[in-house]
Amino acid sequence: MSGRTPKVTTLPEAVAAHVHDGDTVALEGFGHLIPFAAAHEIVRQGRRELTLCRMTPDIVTDQLLAAGCVSRLVASFFASGSAGSLYEIRRRVEDHDPEPLEIEEYSHHGMVCRYLAGASRLPFYPLRSYVGSDLPRINPRIRRVASPYGDGEVYVVPPLNPDVTILHAQRADELGNAQVWGITGAQQEAAYAADRVIVTVEEIVPTEVVRADPNRTLVPAHAVDAVVAVPRGAHPSYAQGHYDRDSAFYREWTPISKDPEAIRSWVAEMIRGTEDHAGYLAKVGADRLSGLDVAPRPSGSVDYGRRGEAR
């Protein structure tokens, strides 16, 4: 990776180059900026035997499972936002239908600590919040160890180092300096922990735009391998300042995912039946998408100052 090399490519090329069968793939974005378009491209390219890592494995996980891409899940808090259950996951876990799904479950904090350990190349990360929890009983990778400082015992979780982390951001320059505002999750930690990083963005902007507001750069260029312009690449989740969450879609997902035939038909029509993300958006419909548009609400500006320039 280099912080000075342009990394702009297409989504099919990025997935083909960086996501392989059997990889451990992190898709992060906490309710906001979920990289749906990249997940759909993984489905189109027919990846198999992936280990998917995700805090709140919501609809995108249901879709990847129904498409047969995922055989193992490392996750925390299973829910479809606030809209209902995830029935493809439930069928795998409760009935092994159509086949079992191997799961490692953590708390949100446990997942963040795993990414932090991975990003820092540490052997484990300590935390106390599993005291009184049942998770250590069902997940033997959450272990209790003696503090080397003689103050009792703490729980530890192992590092998580994905082969590839995929993120969606509002904007990046051609070098891959990715900027995010609004809710951030564990994108930065997941990026630093990974061997390879793909960033999809609403828009690619000149480097001067990034430099004018450097504090919004959540993932810097040296950590990024590929950057791809994918407008509305987070639909049905949202991108602050670009479009709102498609809450109706989340509500519609419950009956789709509850019916094994319906969810597979949806994947066949909306993902495999489309050539690319533009094709998916065309299926979603311009009227529906325009209804998610948001009005401008610029944030205030700050003065970074520069020595030698007159005010």
Side-chain angles (χ1 to χ4, degrees), residues 104 106 110-111 113-118 122-125 127 139-143 156-161:
E104 268 187 50
Y106 298 86
M111 282 290 287
C113 288
R114 289 206 62 190
Y115 284 131
L116 282 168
L122 292 170
F124 55 80
Y125 205 96
L127 64 167
N139 183 349
R141 303 202 76 195
I142 302 170
R143 298 179 184 173
V156 297
V157 291
L160 180 53
N161 291 106

Short mmCIF file of all heavy atoms in Angstrom, two decimals, residues 104 106 110-111 113-118 122-125 127 139-143 156-161:
data_model
loop_
_atom_site.label_atom_id
_atom_site.label_comp_id
_atom_site.label_asym_id
_atom_site.label_seq_id
_atom_site.Cartn_x
_atom_site.Cartn_y
_atom_site.Cartn_z
N GLU A 104 -19.31 -17.26 15.82
CA GLU A 104 -18.61 -16.77 17.01
C GLU A 104 -19.30 -15.50 17.43
O GLU A 104 -19.32 -14.51 16.69
CB GLU A 104 -17.15 -16.44 16.68
CG GLU A 104 -16.18 -17.57 16.90
CD GLU A 104 -14.75 -17.07 16.71
OE1 GLU A 104 -14.37 -16.04 17.31
OE2 GLU A 104 -14.04 -17.72 15.93
N TYR A 106 -19.91 -12.25 20.01
CA TYR A 106 -19.30 -11.35 20.99
C TYR A 106 -20.29 -10.23 21.30
O TYR A 106 -21.30 -10.07 20.62
CB TYR A 106 -18.00 -10.75 20.45
CG TYR A 106 -16.94 -11.77 20.15
CD1 TYR A 106 -16.91 -12.42 18.92
CD2 TYR A 106 -15.97 -12.12 21.10
CE1 TYR A 106 -15.95 -13.39 18.65
CE2 TYR A 106 -15.01 -13.08 20.83
CZ TYR A 106 -15.01 -13.71 19.60
OH TYR A 106 -14.05 -14.66 19.33
N GLY A 110 -16.75 -6.34 22.67
CA GLY A 110 -15.83 -7.44 22.40
C GLY A 110 -15.33 -7.41 20.96
O GLY A 110 -14.15 -7.67 20.69
N MET A 111 -16.24 -7.10 20.01
CA MET A 111 -15.82 -7.02 18.60
C MET A 111 -14.84 -5.86 18.39
O MET A 111 -13.83 -6.00 17.69
CB MET A 111 -17.05 -6.84 17.70
CG MET A 111 -17.83 -8.11 17.45
SD MET A 111 -16.95 -9.30 16.39
CE MET A 111 -17.07 -8.50 14.78
N CYS A 113 -12.87 -4.60 20.57
CA CYS A 113 -11.59 -4.99 21.18
C CYS A 113 -10.84 -5.98 20.29
O CYS A 113 -9.60 -5.94 20.22
CB CYS A 113 -11.82 -5.58 22.56
SG CYS A 113 -12.32 -4.36 23.80
N ARG A 114 -11.57 -6.86 19.60
CA ARG A 114 -10.89 -7.80 18.68
C ARG A 114 -10.23 -7.03 17.54
O ARG A 114 -9.10 -7.32 17.14
CB ARG A 114 -11.89 -8.81 18.13
CG ARG A 114 -12.37 -9.84 19.16
CD ARG A 114 -12.79 -11.13 18.48
NE ARG A 114 -11.66 -11.73 17.78
CZ ARG A 114 -11.76 -12.75 16.93
NH1 ARG A 114 -12.95 -13.28 16.68
NH2 ARG A 114 -10.70 -13.25 16.33
N TYR A 115 -10.95 -6.05 16.97
CA TYR A 115 -10.35 -5.24 15.90
C TYR A 115 -9.15 -4.44 16.43
O TYR A 115 -8.13 -4.31 15.75
CB TYR A 115 -11.38 -4.28 15.31
CG TYR A 115 -12.39 -4.89 14.39
CD1 TYR A 115 -13.76 -4.63 14.54
CD2 TYR A 115 -12.01 -5.71 13.32
CE1 TYR A 115 -14.70 -5.16 13.68
CE2 TYR A 115 -12.96 -6.24 12.44
CZ TYR A 115 -14.30 -5.97 12.63
OH TYR A 115 -15.23 -6.49 11.77
N LEU A 116 -9.29 -3.89 17.65
CA LEU A 116 -8.17 -3.12 18.22
C LEU A 116 -6.94 -3.99 18.40
O LEU A 116 -5.82 -3.57 18.09
CB LEU A 116 -8.59 -2.53 19.57
CG LEU A 116 -9.49 -1.29 19.52
CD1 LEU A 116 -10.05 -0.99 20.90
CD2 LEU A 116 -8.71 -0.08 19.00
N ALA A 117 -7.15 -5.21 18.90
CA ALA A 117 -6.01 -6.12 19.06
C ALA A 117 -5.41 -6.45 17.70
O ALA A 117 -4.18 -6.50 17.54
CB ALA A 117 -6.46 -7.40 19.77
N GLY A 118 -6.26 -6.67 16.71
CA GLY A 118 -5.77 -6.97 15.37
C GLY A 118 -5.01 -5.81 14.78
O GLY A 118 -3.94 -5.98 14.18
N LEU A 122 -1.60 -7.14 18.66
CA LEU A 122 -1.51 -7.65 20.02
C LEU A 122 -2.04 -9.09 20.06
O LEU A 122 -2.89 -9.47 19.25
CB LEU A 122 -2.33 -6.77 20.97
CG LEU A 122 -1.80 -5.36 21.22
CD1 LEU A 122 -2.84 -4.54 21.99
CD2 LEU A 122 -0.48 -5.41 21.97
N PRO A 123 -1.60 -9.91 21.03
CA PRO A 123 -2.07 -11.30 21.11
C PRO A 123 -3.49 -11.41 21.65
O PRO A 123 -4.16 -12.43 21.45
CB PRO A 123 -1.07 -11.97 22.06
CG PRO A 123 -0.56 -10.84 22.91
CD PRO A 123 -0.54 -9.63 22.02
N PHE A 124 -3.96 -10.41 22.37
CA PHE A 124 -5.33 -10.39 22.91
C PHE A 124 -5.64 -8.99 23.39
O PHE A 124 -4.75 -8.11 23.44
CB PHE A 124 -5.50 -11.40 24.05
CG PHE A 124 -4.54 -11.24 25.18
CD1 PHE A 124 -4.73 -10.27 26.16
CD2 PHE A 124 -3.40 -12.04 25.26
CE1 PHE A 124 -3.83 -10.11 27.19
CE2 PHE A 124 -2.50 -11.88 26.30
CZ PHE A 124 -2.71 -10.90 27.26
N TYR A 125 -6.89 -8.77 23.76
CA TYR A 125 -7.28 -7.46 24.29
C TYR A 125 -8.11 -7.69 25.54
O TYR A 125 -9.06 -8.47 25.52
CB TYR A 125 -8.08 -6.67 23.27
CG TYR A 125 -8.00 -5.18 23.48
CD1 TYR A 125 -7.09 -4.40 22.77
CD2 TYR A 125 -8.85 -4.55 24.38
CE1 TYR A 125 -7.01 -3.04 22.97
CE2 TYR A 125 -8.77 -3.17 24.59
CZ TYR A 125 -7.84 -2.42 23.87
OH TYR A 125 -7.74 -1.07 24.06
N LEU A 127 -10.76 -6.93 28.67
CA LEU A 127 -11.96 -6.14 28.95
C LEU A 127 -12.67 -6.77 30.16
O LEU A 127 -12.54 -7.96 30.43
CB LEU A 127 -12.90 -6.07 27.75
CG LEU A 127 -13.56 -7.33 27.21
CD1 LEU A 127 -14.68 -6.92 26.24
CD2 LEU A 127 -12.60 -8.23 26.46
N ASN A 139 -18.92 -19.05 24.11
CA ASN A 139 -17.82 -18.75 23.19
C ASN A 139 -16.50 -19.00 23.91
O ASN A 139 -16.02 -18.14 24.66
CB ASN A 139 -17.90 -17.31 22.69
CG ASN A 139 -16.82 -17.00 21.67
OD1 ASN A 139 -15.87 -17.78 21.49
ND2 ASN A 139 -16.93 -15.86 21.02
N PRO A 140 -15.87 -20.16 23.69
CA PRO A 140 -14.63 -20.48 24.42
C PRO A 140 -13.46 -19.59 24.05
O PRO A 140 -12.41 -19.64 24.71
CB PRO A 140 -14.37 -21.93 24.02
CG PRO A 140 -15.08 -22.12 22.72
CD PRO A 140 -16.29 -21.23 22.78
N ARG A 141 -13.59 -18.77 23.01
CA ARG A 141 -12.49 -17.86 22.65
C ARG A 141 -12.47 -16.62 23.55
O ARG A 141 -11.51 -15.86 23.53
CB ARG A 141 -12.59 -17.45 21.18
CG ARG A 141 -12.59 -18.64 20.23
CD ARG A 141 -12.16 -18.26 18.86
NE ARG A 141 -10.71 -18.08 18.79
CZ ARG A 141 -10.08 -17.46 17.80
NH1 ARG A 141 -10.79 -16.94 16.81
NH2 ARG A 141 -8.78 -17.35 17.80
N ILE A 142 -13.54 -16.41 24.31
CA ILE A 142 -13.53 -15.37 25.35
C ILE A 142 -13.00 -16.03 26.62
O ILE A 142 -13.64 -16.93 27.18
CB ILE A 142 -14.95 -14.81 25.59
CG1 ILE A 142 -15.53 -14.23 24.30
CG2 ILE A 142 -14.92 -13.75 26.69
CD1 ILE A 142 -17.01 -13.87 24.40
N ARG A 143 -11.84 -15.64 27.06
CA ARG A 143 -11.18 -16.35 28.15
C ARG A 143 -10.89 -15.40 29.33
O ARG A 143 -10.78 -14.19 29.14
CB ARG A 143 -9.88 -17.00 27.66
CG ARG A 143 -10.18 -18.04 26.59
CD ARG A 143 -8.94 -18.68 26.05
NE ARG A 143 -9.28 -19.60 24.97
CZ ARG A 143 -8.41 -20.23 24.21
NH1 ARG A 143 -7.11 -20.05 24.41
NH2 ARG A 143 -8.81 -21.04 23.25
N VAL A 156 -10.37 -11.74 28.19
CA VAL A 156 -9.61 -11.31 27.01
C VAL A 156 -10.27 -11.91 25.76
O VAL A 156 -10.92 -12.96 25.82
CB VAL A 156 -8.13 -11.75 27.06
CG1 VAL A 156 -7.41 -11.09 28.23
CG2 VAL A 156 -8.00 -13.27 27.13
N VAL A 157 -10.11 -11.19 24.65
CA VAL A 157 -10.57 -11.68 23.35
C VAL A 157 -9.38 -11.70 22.39
O VAL A 157 -8.46 -10.89 22.53
CB VAL A 157 -11.70 -10.80 22.78
CG1 VAL A 157 -12.97 -10.97 23.60
CG2 VAL A 157 -11.29 -9.34 22.70
N PRO A 158 -9.40 -12.60 21.42
CA PRO A 158 -8.26 -12.71 20.50
C PRO A 158 -8.30 -11.63 19.43
O PRO A 158 -9.34 -11.02 19.18
CB PRO A 158 -8.45 -14.09 19.88
CG PRO A 158 -9.93 -14.29 19.89
CD PRO A 158 -10.43 -13.62 21.15
N PRO A 159 -7.18 -11.36 18.76
CA PRO A 159 -7.17 -10.36 17.68
C PRO A 159 -8.01 -10.84 16.50
O PRO A 159 -8.15 -12.04 16.27
CB PRO A 159 -5.69 -10.26 17.30
CG PRO A 159 -5.10 -11.57 17.71
CD PRO A 159 -5.86 -12.00 18.93
N LEU A 160 -8.56 -9.89 15.79
CA LEU A 160 -9.30 -10.18 14.56
C LEU A 160 -8.58 -9.47 13.42
O LEU A 160 -8.53 -8.24 13.39
CB LEU A 160 -10.75 -9.71 14.68
CG LEU A 160 -11.66 -9.94 13.47
CD1 LEU A 160 -11.65 -11.39 13.03
CD2 LEU A 160 -13.08 -9.49 13.79
N ASN A 161 -8.03 -10.25 12.50
CA ASN A 161 -7.30 -9.70 11.35
C ASN A 161 -7.95 -10.19 10.06
O ASN A 161 -7.56 -11.25 9.53
CB ASN A 161 -5.82 -10.11 11.41
CG ASN A 161 -5.08 -9.44 12.54
OD1 ASN A 161 -4.75 -10.06 13.55
ND2 ASN A 161 -4.81 -8.15 12.39
#
